[in-house]
Structure formats: C-alpha cells, structure tokens
Amino acid sequence: MKNNFYMEEKNKKEIVTRFAPSPTGFLHIGGVRTAIYAWLWARKNNGKFILRIEDTDKEREVSGSIDHIIKSLKWVRLDWDYGPDKEGPAGSYIQSKRLDIYKKYADQLVAKGLAYADPYTEEELESFRKKSEEEKKPFLYRNHRPENPPVWDGTKPLRLKITNIKNSEWCDVTRGNLKAGAEALDDFILIKSDGYPTYNFAHIIDDYEMGVTHIMRADEFIASTPKFLALYEALGIERPEFVTLPPILGKDGKKKLGKRDGAKDFLEYSKDGYLPEAMLNFLAFIGWNPGDNREIMTKEEIISAFDVKQIQISGGMFNEEKLDWINHEHLKKMSDKEQQNYVISFIPERIKNLAGYNEEIVRKITPIIMERIKKGIDMNIMSENKDLDYYFVRPDYERDSLFFKSSKIEGDKYTTLAQYLEKVIEILQTINDDEFNKEKVKEIIWPYAEEVGRGDILWPLRYSLSGMDKSPDPFCLSEILGKEETINRLNISISLLKK
C-alpha cells in the first residue's frame, strides 16, 4: 500500500522539492526527468522548487557544468525559487559554500557521541577488507570500530557511529513499504579528510535546512536508505518523503538508458530542433501519465494533472520515435509565423548558399516542410535528397523525364508534348498576377488535363517545375514559384523537347 502521509502533510506545510545535480559533466535525460517531476510537484502544490548544486566531489567536477545545468533546465522551461543564481533563506545553494553548516551538524554528532574520527590508513582498511574476503563475510567497518578514536580535528575522515543495529523499514510514496536487514547499516563517512562532506551527509543536512518535503530520486538510492534513516535518527530530525522514480530504459526496454542508447548531452536535443515544450511533455510521460488518453499536453495541463501517486514503478522506455511524434504534434501547434521562423533557423547552409535562395520562398514552403519533418535537423535529409533545391534554382533534367510513364502520346511525342506545354502556358497567362494561386491554377488547368489526359499534362508540368520524380503537386509549386518563374521553367522544357 502506498504511503498517504504526503497527502496529510501537504495540508499542513508548504511543499518543497529540489533537484540537486553534481557538476561532473553534461546533464542527461534521466537527470532532467527527475528535475521535471520535482518541479511539477512543487508547482502543482504552489510550493517551492530548489536547484541545488552538489559540488563536494572536487576531483570529479568539470568546469562549466553548472552553467550547462542551468542552461539545460532553462531550455526545458523550468524555473526555480532558489538556486545557485538565486540565494534564499538557506543562504547559498551551492554545497561547497556551505561547509560551515555541515561542520556545525558534524560537531553536534561528535558531542553526542554519535560520530568519531577514523584513524585508519587506506592500507589498514584494505587489510580489513581482505580479511573479510578470506572469511567470506561482508566487510563492515563497524566491526573494526576503534575503541579510543582520536579527537576529530578535520584532518581525518569523520564517521557516523551506528549505535542501533536493526532492520530498517520505511514507506516510499511510489514503492510502498520497503525494508532492509541490519547488514545494510554501517559506520559511513560524513566528512572527508579534505574537509568536504560526503553526499550521504550533505544532502540530508541541506534537505533539512531548506525545508525539503519530497525527494524525487532514482531507484539506485533505495539501497542507501537505511544509512539515511540512521542519520535522520542520530540528528533527531524528521525525514522527508521519498518518491522513487522508475528507471528510464533503452530502446530494447530491458536495461537502463546508456550513452549508446541516447543518453547524450541534453542540450543536443535543442540543437536537433526539439521544442522545449515537446521535450517536457515527452519526459513527463516516461513513468507517469494523466490517467486518461491524452498524450499531447501543454506545460500548464501537465502541472494540473500531475500527481506523485500516479508515478509508475516499472521502467519507462526512451523511445525516440515517440519523441519525434510528440515534437511534430507540438510543431503543428505553432502559429504560421513561429513555424516560418523555426524553419528558417534550421535551413541547411547548403541551401542558403544556393544562388536563388531567399527567405520569402522559405516562408512559402514552410507548410510543405512542416509536413515532412519531425524536428529541425530532418531538413538536412531533405537537402541531401535535393528536395529543397528546386524552389531556389531551376532544375536540370533529361527531356525524356518529362513524359508520364503511362503516356498516351503517339507519333512524334516530343513535338506533341511541347505543344501541350505551350497550351498550358497560354492558359496560365490568362490568370491575373494577383490571382495566381494553387486553387486558380488547378481550376483553369484541370479541364485541359481532363481533355488530353491528366498524366500527360500534370506530370510534365510538375517535372518542369521540380525536376524530381517526387515533389509537391504542380499547382502548389506554381503558386510558390510564381507566374513568371513557372512560365520560364515551362519554356525551358519546351526548348528541350524541340531540340
């Protein structure tokens, strides 16, 4: 049975959630999904969302990571009430600037006899481990706890003294009642010899100091929960609610998403042309759904529907095809102007370098492009296939390509087709320039096509304009190219046929 404690608590105090990444490299899909769930729950309850930087592992820290984290979250339209760029009532939200706070709590534990300095060298610890191995027993530091540890002066690691070795039981909002045996408890390090706290210590102090009520976390932290519970007890503080999230699985649906499956730098998705609202929609649905048949939702709709009770236990698959579909659906929701600007921003450089390139034509072909792409970089494929060239430069082709495969033309086919196209030009010239659109072109050409044979008119008309076996219909192409260019291209075809 799932824990209902959080339902009672939210009526008593403000909901506070946090996302606490380490600046050790790029932010990937799993981390952002955690941030989204924490942000959604805070916003759903009119609470507070905190961005906290956990930078106590200085050896693994990567320069520029904090800026990358901030850019990634801002791209997907997450905002925070307090963070590294927005100090609040708890002071700094960067752990390396909170060392005095951790020391204060460490001193309290030492004073209560619940923490002690670790006197052992790495070599001594390794010998303990080897002995446990030889005896085929799990290594537990508490079995080697020093009887008279030295006074902690900050030069040696500080360990929590587990005084109550017992089975651990707790309730997780998503996983229900969980438990672990006494072997999960051991004297773990609180403060390292370099003066920096461990994750196991710092995050608990910070969550308490910052009033965090709900912790969205990966399932890998379940195994460490007994240690956390022991520290909450030693400090005499109330623990927050644990909300364990389901893993994100790779495309095979069997193992956790890895770099080979798409766990790439999150900002790469922006460069690929995914919309932030689509990405938020997609990630929110990996492990949660609103309980109805909705799949395309706005940020506001997701906030309104989100409930931690509906977070699933089993893993959710990272399906890039689904992401593409969701992105396409959100692209369709954009205004005409927004779609045009989006397409212009992703037009490949090769197309921009074509002699006849201009943005006015790009605006005209935007609806065609939007039907064919799922994301901006798909235009690169269109460019490679020469599916965009003919809008800007006149196509080059052999005259035999102008004939419909089931042509009914007999005799001197070149002369006959040239005459057909001359008639098409004659018809087109009757259209006023300000009325030259696809509807009018179709209205005026169609009767002649029906008379002669649709394939023998529409195919060469379209091929004259695009030079491609597959392209939009000739009426659409005529409107995009305009009356003058349409007639010019037909005249080129006529010249080829008369050679």
Side-chain angles (χ1 to χ4, degrees):
M1 185 179 74
K2 290 188 176 181
N3 190 10
N4 290 319
F5 174 77
Y6 76 95
M7 291 297 292
E8 300 167 6
E9 283 298 290
K10 85 173 184 178
N11 294 323
K12 298 178 183 177
K13 59 184 179 182
E14 184 178 46
I15 298 296
V16 179
T17 65
R18 48 79 163 169
F19 177 54
S22 298
T24 53
F26 66 73
L27 196 56
H28 55 77
I29 286 291
V32 178
R33 199 272 305 266
T34 299
I36 287 172
Y37 279 14
W39 180 84
L40 287 170
W41 191 234
R43 296 294 175 253
K44 169 69 178 282
N45 292 281
N46 297 313
K48 294 286 191 297
F49 174 64
I50 293 168
L51 172 60
R52 187 173 73 221
I53 302 299
E54 300 196 338
D55 62 338
T56 57
D57 190 345
K58 289 302 180 181
E59 289 184 4
R60 296 179 59 226
E61 186 170 337
V62 176
S63 177
S65 292
I66 295 177
D67 286 340
H68 182 278
I69 290 166
I70 290 173
K71 286 178 183 177
S72 296
L73 299 182
K74 284 186 174 180
W75 173 63
V76 81
R77 304 295 190 264
L78 300 191
D79 61 337
W80 42 92
D81 299 283
Y82 310 119
D85 55 347
K86 198 182 294 186
E87 288 197 358
S92 176
Y93 291 79
I94 299 175
Q95 284 189 337
S96 61
K97 296 181 179 180
R98 298 173 57 81
L99 300 184
D100 57 332
I101 296 174
Y102 309 128
K103 187 176 184 306
K104 179 185 74 173
Y105 282 92
D107 287 338
Q108 289 176 12
L109 290 172
V110 170
K112 291 194 291 185
L114 297 177
Y116 61 92
D118 179 353
Y120 300 119
T121 64
E122 282 297 324
E123 291 74 21
E124 288 173 314
L125 288 173
E126 186 58 33
S127 69
F128 296 154
R129 289 190 185 94
K130 282 185 178 178
K131 186 177 180 182
S132 296
E133 248 179 70
E134 291 168 2
E135 296 175 352
K136 296 183 179 180
K137 295 178 180 178
F139 171 71
L140 291 171
Y141 185 94
R142 56 182 161 86
N143 291 335
H144 306 276
R145 186 185 295 161
E147 291 184 10
N148 297 299
V151 174
W152 181 56
D153 60 4
T155 63
K156 296 183 181 299
L158 181 72
R159 287 184 181 267
L160 179 70
K161 183 178 182 180
I162 304 291
T163 57
N164 189 7
I165 308 301
K166 61 180 179 178
N167 294 336
S168 301
E169 294 184 3
W170 70 97
C171 199
D172 186 287
V173 171
T174 54
R175 301 297 179 95
N177 293 321
L178 299 174
K179 60 184 179 180
E183 70 279 359
L185 288 175
D186 199 11
D187 293 2
F188 61 92
I189 294 176
L190 303 175
I191 306 282
K192 295 174 288 184
S193 59
D194 62 4
Y196 282 91
T198 59
Y199 167 79
N200 291 339
F201 186 48
H203 90 275
I204 286 178
I205 300 303
D206 286 339
D207 288 339
Y208 175 67
E209 287 270 320
M210 296 173 188
V212 173
T213 60
H214 295 74
I215 298 175
M216 311 291 169
R217 62 182 194 168
D219 58 358
E220 64 200 56
F221 291 104
I222 290 177
S224 300
T225 303
K227 294 180 182 179
F228 302 158
L229 296 177
L231 183 52
Y232 289 123
E233 184 177 324
L235 291 167
I237 60 177
E238 180 184 343
R239 72 167 180 85
E241 287 293 290
F242 300 132
V243 185
T244 300
L245 308 183
I248 297 180
L249 306 176
K251 57 186 176 183
D252 63 357
K254 295 178 181 178
K255 61 179 182 178
K256 287 186 179 182
L257 184 70
K259 289 183 179 179
R260 291 183 180 179
D261 306 294
K264 59 185 180 182
D265 180 340
F266 187 64
L267 287 177
E268 288 297 316
Y269 292 99
S270 171
K271 296 174 184 176
D272 289 347
Y274 290 103
L275 298 176
E277 50 268 40
M279 182 57 75
L280 187 145
N281 189 166
F282 171 70
L283 290 179
F285 272 64
I286 301 181
W288 169 86
N289 68 74
D292 51 39
N293 60 3
R294 287 179 295 172
E295 291 188 276
I296 305 302
M297 299 174 70
T298 65
K299 180 171 70 173
E300 291 72 25
E301 289 170 339
I302 295 172
I303 291 172
S304 178
F306 188 75
D307 193 327
V308 291
K309 289 186 298 181
Q310 294 173 322
I311 294 174
Q312 67 191 42
I313 296 175
S314 58
M317 188 169 69
F318 179 86
N319 185 332
E320 200 152 322
E321 290 181 2
K322 185 66 174 285
L323 173 58
D324 283 351
W325 176 76
I326 289 176
N327 197 63
H328 185 62
E329 293 300 307
H330 279 277
L331 285 172
K332 291 193 294 188
K333 289 176 172 285
M334 297 168 76
S335 68
D336 291 346
K337 183 72 173 176
E338 288 171 333
Q339 289 183 349
Q340 290 167 5
N341 291 338
Y342 178 85
V343 168
I344 288 171
S345 69
F346 283 98
I347 284 285
E349 285 301 313
R350 191 188 73 79
I351 300 300
K352 290 181 179 179
N353 291 331
L354 294 175
Y357 176 81
N358 70 79
E359 289 189 358
E360 185 52 40
I361 291 180
V362 177
R363 297 184 192 283
K364 288 182 179 180
I365 65 175
T366 291
I368 296 169
I369 293 175
M370 294 299 285
E371 285 182 8
R372 302 222 8 218
I373 65 170
K374 298 293 189 294
K375 55 190 178 295
I377 60 167
D378 291 348
M379 277 183 261
N380 291 337
I381 299 172
M382 296 183 72
S383 173
E384 291 167 8
N385 295 335
K386 304 295 178 67
D387 288 336
L388 297 171
D389 294 38
Y390 53 80
Y391 294 112
F392 307 102
V393 294
R394 291 171 182 173
D396 187 24
Y397 50 86
E398 298 296 326
R399 65 178 186 169
D400 284 335
S401 300
L402 291 165
F403 290 92
F404 184 51
K405 63 181 179 180
S406 302
S407 175
K408 297 177 181 179
I409 298 175
E410 298 177 353
D412 185 354
K413 64 178 186 178
Y414 298 107
T415 299
T416 301
L417 185 55
Q419 291 171 348
Y420 286 171
L421 294 182
E422 285 171 344
K423 180 64 176 178
V424 169
I425 289 175
E426 182 184 322
I427 294 170
L428 292 175
Q429 285 175 331
T430 65
I431 304 175
N432 294 330
D433 290 354
D434 59 353
E435 294 181 330
F436 198 84
N437 55 55
K438 59 186 178 183
E439 292 81 13
K440 188 65 176 178
V441 172
K442 182 175 182 178
E443 175 192 330
I444 204 164
I445 291 293
W446 197 260
Y448 181 59
E450 291 278 17
E451 176 190 334
V452 174
R454 280 181 285 177
D456 284 323
I457 297 298
L458 302 183
W459 175 274
L461 172 56
R462 187 184 62 76
Y463 213 93
S464 297
L465 302 181
S466 70
M468 301 286 286
D469 289 340
K470 294 181 179 180
S471 70
D473 67 66
F475 315 117
C476 181
L477 290 174
S478 297
E479 178 178 326
I480 292 167
L481 296 172
K483 181 178 178 180
E484 182 180 351
E485 182 62 17
T486 296
I487 292 173
N488 285 340
R489 293 191 184 190
L490 286 171
N491 276 324
I492 291 170
S493 294
I494 292 168
S495 297
L496 276 175
L497 292 166
K498 287 183 175 181
K499 278 186 177 179

